Amino acid sequence: MAEFKAALARAGDVAFAEIETGVRMKAQFADTPIADAMLHAVRGGKTLRGFLVLQGAALHGVNEERAKPVAAAIECIHAYSLVHDDLPCMDDDDLRRGQPTVHRKWDEATAVLAGDALQALAFQMITHAQIEADNKVSLIASLADSAGLNGMVGGQALDIAAETAKEPFGLQQIERLQSGKTGALIEWAAGAGPMMVGADDRPMRDYGRALGQAFQIADDILDIEGDEATVGKAVGKDEDAGKATFVSLLGLDGAKRRADELVESACDALSKYGDDAETLKEAARFVVNRTH
Amino acid sequence: MAEFKAALARAGDVAFAEIETGVRMKAQFADTPIADAMLHAVRGGKTLRGFLVLQGAALHGVNEERAKPVAAAIECIHAYSLVHDDLPCMDDDDLRRGQPTVHRKWDEATAVLAGDALQALAFQMITHAQIEADNKVSLIASLADSAGLNGMVGGQALDIAAETAKEPFGLQQIERLQSGKTGALIEWAAGAGPMMVGADDRPMRDYGRALGQAFQIADDILDIEGDEATVGKAVGKDEDAGKATFVSLLGLDGAKRRADELVESACDALSKYGDDAETLKEAARFVVNRTH
């Protein structure tokens, strides 16, 4: 677990430094608060997605230097989605990663714009990676699909629909919601490494898909069992809102069992990489045991 | 002028059809309102930016079939920026292109998400163009720059800062604001054609920069002289808000003179294309004489 935690921290440093350079280079409108708001949104994240990119890249012979713009890109997309998701018209959250959300620290317009600029920066970052142009294009096309209407945005919209649905969602709908809202980006991050060299990305994507599901189940468990100070954001919101979650549908024990099974499938998907994938396996075990 | 108007209408049809195909193919979350909101946002636009892409492409031997995803991409970016700009926390507009804005027809969350999905779709569209991968990467990198913190988003942020500035902005600040908020995308659209084949994009960019400035001055004049029914959106807002505009800084006659000079420089920049650029010259003359 020590190796995983070190790699995760390293991914955070690498992605943040890359994003900070990218943001600070854009000095045309440095007298507006947008650059600071973008960096505030990125700072202090877990960087699980950036970690997956760097690990997947390493497994395919792409070193950190070449892969880091891609790790930074997925963290930009993730950060933008949180900024917009926290808006009053969405989840209306005041706290994120233990800090005030962007619209609380600045205002709503700044939050909308900082999120928009982070999304643009993400796609630009990928163009900077030291990989072949064809592979950049594949990464951009698949990231746009994973982040857009067919992925994260679609899942977000379904999540909002769930709040006003006549009946709570069933397991199939919750799985579809998760596959979009959190699953698509995690799966993309896992597949990015092989995509950087045009290799077969299916094993890493299978790993990422299982990991993403396990991650969401763990999140639902934390929403019940976690405390706000440790988690760094409001807890108990889903239960209060009467929303279906993996816990409400499978029960607390059932959800934990399902998460354990998913960790096992995630690790199985990595078999072709042997011992080289040990840190990724640690990551899968970690996400179901995390406290925040 | 007839040729320009026909080409503009054609660009609108081509871009809308391309976007509609792209949106409808993403059927994973078809039970949410996002796809309809995206198409509502795109429908009925002037398609000046898409027109510039197609014209610039034609000047460089790239036919409509190959160029249309790029025309669609810039229209997606433009439409997303309007959806977010119309939000209550930004310009708070109820009317756009004579139709209710997305947050009025649906709600704010749908407007935030539809805008986000349109931005992702824009970058994906470019990956579909039938051009070399290197040129796709250049188009994506420069579009991200023009749409993000160094371009449109930065200009938007400066526009918001102008509202609470202690003193009204001077001409230099208004020019910088314009170069970001509306100029960057128009310049990019003009340069996209040569970029599609890796040709020198400076003449087209010079044309686009002058055209963008002329366009903004005409917009400021319309805000004073236009009526709401013809313009299709609220007018007189800048004057009411006491914001500096090209008209308040140059006077109505001075602004009109400046716009005419810009049209002349825009046309001059196209000299190397000879008669082939006649429709683009018509476009420049049109933007300063338009009534909406």
Side-chain angles (χ1 to χ4, degrees):
Chain A
M1 199 61 72
E3 200 169 336
F4 160 64
K5 288 205 168 172
L8 193 64
R10 172 79 192 159
D13 292 344
V14 165
F16 187 79
E18 188 75 6
I19 295 167
E20 189 165 33
T21 304
V23 168
R24 295 298 180 205
M25 274 174 59
K26 296 185 187 293
Q28 190 78 17
F29 297 96
D31 48 345
T32 73
I34 306 299
D36 289 336
M38 290 167 79
L39 294 174
H40 177 80
V42 172
R43 200 174 283 126
K46 282 185 290 284
T47 332
L48 176 66
R49 293 154 194 80
F51 158 86
L52 293 173
V53 169
L54 295 180
Q55 291 289 315
L59 281 179
H60 293 84
V62 180
N63 66 22
E64 183 184 282
E65 185 61 27
R66 290 171 64 207
K68 66 186 184 181
V70 181
I74 191 70
E75 290 298 328
C76 284
I77 294 282
H78 179 54
Y80 116 67
S81 78
L82 299 180
V83 173
H84 283 185
D85 196 33
D86 287 339
L87 284 168
C89 66
M90 307 267 281
D91 277 1
D92 194 13
D93 275 311
D94 295 340
L95 201 63
R96 170 69 69 181
R97 297 165 176 172
Q99 295 290 320
T101 47
V102 173
H103 69 272
R104 295 292 294 172
K105 194 171 161 81
W106 286 275
D107 51 46
E108 284 182 53
T110 301
V112 170
L113 291 174
D116 290 343
L118 279 166
Q119 180 167 196
L121 184 62
F123 290 104
Q124 191 168 30
M125 289 269 176
I126 295 179
T127 69
H128 296 157
Q130 295 164 46
I131 55 176
E132 281 179 30
D134 278 333
N135 296 325
K136 291 181 191 181
V137 171
S138 302
L139 284 162
I140 289 164
S142 56
L143 178 58
D145 204 58
S146 304
L149 177 58
N150 239 1
M152 189 181 71
V153 168
Q156 286 272 30
L158 196 60
D159 199 22
I160 291 169
E163 282 166 27
T164 54
K166 284 189 196 116
E167 289 175 25
F169 276 14
L171 189 58
Q172 213 177 347
Q173 275 171 304
I174 288 292
E175 280 177 346
R176 186 163 65 98
L177 190 167
Q178 182 280 324
S179 79
K181 188 175 175 180
T182 54
L185 287 196
I186 292 177
E187 184 179 329
W188 183 89
M195 269 191 285
M196 273 184 246
V197 292
D200 180 12
D201 60 354
R202 281 170 301 179
M204 283 297 290
R205 277 194 173 267
D206 290 345
Y207 162 83
R209 200 173 314 112
L211 182 75
Q213 282 182 42
F215 186 84
Q216 184 58 53
I217 294 173
D219 222 49
D220 289 351
I221 294 170
L222 273 177
D223 196 58
I224 303 291
E225 291 192 332
D227 73 288
E228 191 161 311
T230 318
V231 178
K233 61 180 179 183
V235 297
K237 288 190 71 169
D238 290 337
E239 196 178 18
D240 294 348
K243 280 170 75 174
T245 68
F246 284 106
V247 175
S248 75
L249 290 163
L250 301 171
L252 198 53
D253 286 345
K256 287 179 179 176
R257 263 199 311 277
R258 180 85 188 109
D260 288 338
E261 288 163 15
L262 285 162
V263 168
E264 209 166 314
S265 352
C267 293
D268 288 350
L270 300 174
S271 58
K272 76 171 237 191
Y273 298 111
D275 289 347
D276 292 346
E278 200 44 55
T279 312
L280 285 168
K281 290 177 191 164
E282 277 186 23
R285 289 188 284 267
F286 174 78
V287 299
V288 299
N289 294 317
R290 73 202 168 98
T291 54
H292 60 280
Chain B
M1 200 60 75
E3 201 169 336
F4 160 65
K5 288 204 169 171
L8 193 65
R10 173 78 192 159
D13 292 345
V14 165
F16 187 79
E18 188 75 6
I19 295 167
E20 189 165 32
T21 304
V23 167
R24 295 298 179 206
M25 273 174 60
K26 297 186 185 295
Q28 190 78 16
F29 296 97
D31 49 345
T32 73
I34 306 300
D36 288 337
M38 291 166 79
L39 293 175
H40 177 81
V42 172
R43 200 173 283 127
K46 281 185 289 288
T47 333
L48 176 67
R49 294 153 192 81
F51 158 85
L52 293 172
V53 169
L54 295 181
Q55 291 289 315
L59 281 179
H60 293 84
V62 179
N63 65 22
E64 184 185 282
E65 185 61 28
R66 289 172 64 206
K68 65 186 186 183
V70 181
I74 192 69
E75 291 298 328
C76 284
I77 294 282
H78 179 53
Y80 116 67
S81 79
L82 299 181
V83 173
H84 283 186
D85 196 32
D86 288 338
L87 283 168
C89 67
M90 306 270 279
D91 277 1
D92 194 13
D93 275 311
D94 295 339
L95 201 62
R96 170 69 68 182
R97 297 165 176 172
Q99 294 290 320
T101 48
V102 172
H103 69 273
R104 294 293 293 171
K105 195 172 161 79
W106 286 274
D107 51 45
E108 285 183 53
T110 301
V112 170
L113 292 174
D116 290 344
L118 279 167
Q119 181 168 195
L121 184 62
F123 290 104
Q124 191 169 30
M125 289 268 175
I126 295 180
T127 68
H128 295 158
Q130 295 164 45
I131 56 176
E132 281 181 30
D134 278 333
N135 296 327
K136 290 180 191 182
V137 171
S138 302
L139 284 162
I140 289 163
S142 56
L143 178 58
D145 205 57
S146 304
L149 178 58
N150 240 1
M152 189 181 72
V153 168
Q156 286 272 31
L158 195 60
D159 198 23
I160 291 169
E163 283 166 26
T164 54
K166 283 190 194 115
E167 290 174 27
F169 276 15
L171 189 58
Q172 214 178 344
Q173 276 172 302
I174 288 291
E175 281 177 345
R176 186 163 64 97
L177 190 167
Q178 182 279 324
S179 80
K181 188 175 175 180
T182 54
L185 287 197
I186 291 177
E187 185 179 330
W188 183 89
M195 271 192 283
M196 273 184 245
V197 291
D200 180 11
D201 60 354
R202 281 170 301 179
M204 283 296 289
R205 277 194 172 268
D206 290 344
Y207 161 83
R209 200 174 312 112
L211 182 75
Q213 281 182 42
F215 186 86
Q216 184 58 53
I217 293 174
D219 221 49
D220 289 351
I221 293 171
L222 273 177
D223 196 58
I224 302 291
E225 292 192 331
D227 71 287
E228 192 162 311
T230 318
V231 178
K233 62 180 178 181
V235 297
K237 288 190 71 169
D238 291 337
E239 196 178 20
D240 294 348
K243 280 169 77 174
T245 68
F246 283 105
V247 175
S248 74
L249 290 163
L250 300 171
L252 198 53
D253 287 344
K256 287 180 178 177
R257 264 199 310 277
R258 180 85 188 110
D260 287 338
E261 286 163 16
L262 285 162
V263 169
E264 210 167 313
S265 354
C267 293
D268 287 350
L270 300 174
S271 59
K272 77 171 235 192
Y273 298 110
D275 289 348
D276 292 345
E278 201 43 57
T279 311
L280 285 167
K281 290 177 191 166
E282 276 187 23
R285 290 188 284 267
F286 174 78
V287 298
V288 299
N289 294 317
R290 71 200 169 100
T291 53
H292 60 280

